[in-house]
Amino acid sequence: QVQLQESGPGLVKPSGTLSLTCAVSGGSISSSNWWSWTRQPPGKGLEWIGEMYHSGTTNYNPSLKSRVSISVDKSKNQFSLKLSSVTAADTAVYYCARRDATGWFDPWGQGTLVTVSS
Amino acid sequence: DIQMTQSPSSLSASVGDRVTITCRASQSISTFVNWYQQKPGKAPKLLIYAASSLQSGVPSRFSGSGSGTDFTLTISSLQREDFATYYCQQSYTSTWTFGQGTKVEIK
């Protein structure tokens, strides 16, 4: 079955750019699904960040749209998140997930904590 | 954006209890609601999709219902492994949003 695994730096400096990658195994990133990012600040709820279809079509949360970029690397079967101009408010566990065409997220990666601090 | 409001925010229950969690949408969303379970330090897990369809491998004590603006997740007989936080999510519009979560604790 499809599995996802996030990777990337656990510490980012304020005003810098957060960069994470999600490796997809057990299935092709070119399948008829969307590939998404969601985050969860410590002790808080879930916030959807954005997603990409393998064709390159993207869909971003309007609240983050000016700072977010999601891309896909079909050759490596992975997709990536970049979030620019980060502040402490961007400290969170970041999850990648596959989104079904009808809107639910399954499966999810295990998540990776990113802390924004100098 | 569609706001999803869960109630209660937390509840205490005993093993064997019937538990009901409610999720209200800020506008009518037909049956475009999904439910997730999250245990501490773990990723969310899909339980119910399209308001009432049980995800493969999820125990039948979990069920979902509702349409329009009001939805419920019911655990018919709470088990020890069900103590977790539960989230609803709307999939009606493509700015996907989640409820704030309901934490189910041991009484």
Side-chain angles (χ1 to χ4, degrees):
Chain A
Q1 71 279 21
V2 173
Q3 293 183 307
L4 296 90
Q5 178 70 57
E6 304 90 347
S7 61
L11 181 64
V12 180
K13 293 188 186 310
S15 77
T17 297
L18 178 159
S19 297
L20 296 173
T21 296
C22 181
V24 179
S25 59
S28 173
I29 205 165
S30 296
S31 62
S32 298
N33 294 287
W34 289 73
W35 303 95
S36 70
W37 290 96
T38 296
R39 68 181 182 179
Q40 185 173 38
K44 296 188 178 181
L46 300 163
E47 179 182 35
W48 171 74
I49 298 169
E51 62 191 6
M52 169 169 268
Y53 198 67
H54 64 81
S55 63
T57 303
T58 55
N59 178 29
Y60 298 136
N61 189 323
S63 68
L64 296 167
K65 187 173 184 177
S66 63
R67 299 194 291 131
V68 172
S69 174
I70 296 175
S71 59
V72 65
D73 186 336
K74 296 180 190 178
S75 67
K76 295 183 178 179
N77 217 41
Q78 65 185 33
F79 61 107
S80 298
L81 168 71
K82 291 188 185 298
L83 181 66
S84 63
S85 305
V86 298
T87 69
D90 296 309
T91 293
V93 175
Y94 286 75
Y95 295 100
C96 58
R98 180 183 63 179
R99 183 186 57 85
D100 181 86
T102 44
W104 57 84
F105 297 92
D106 180 72
W108 297 61
Q110 66 183 28
T112 187
L113 175 63
V114 179
T115 301
V116 179
S117 175
S118 55
Chain B
D1 296 356
I2 296 175
Q3 306 304 315
M4 304 295 285
T5 304
Q6 291 181 232
S7 60
S9 295
S10 64
L11 64 90
S12 296
S14 301
V15 172
D17 284 353
R18 182 181 181 89
V19 170
T20 298
I21 298 168
T22 296
C23 183
R24 174 163 290 176
S26 59
Q27 67 181 71
S28 180
I29 57 172
S30 185
T31 57
F32 289 92
V33 163
N34 313 299
W35 290 93
Y36 302 85
Q37 176 193 66
Q38 186 179 35
K39 296 182 179 179
K42 300 295 186 181
K45 173 188 172 185
L46 179 67
L47 298 176
I48 302 284
Y49 61 93
S52 61
S53 295
L54 192 67
Q55 173 68 343
S56 176
V58 174
S60 60
R61 62 181 179 272
F62 290 93
S63 64
S65 65
S67 66
T69 60
D70 295 322
F71 303 88
T72 59
L73 173 70
T74 299
I75 310 172
S76 60
S77 178
L78 196 67
Q79 301 301 301
R80 186 158 295 274
E81 60 267 30
D82 302 335
F83 291 95
T85 300
Y86 295 84
Y87 293 92
C88 60
Q89 174 239 330
Q90 65 81 18
S91 51
Y92 185 76
T93 65
S94 58
T95 300
W96 321 110
T97 49
F98 295 85
Q100 82 278 16
T102 295
K103 186 174 185 179
V104 177
E105 299 176 300
I106 302 173
K107 182 182 285 184

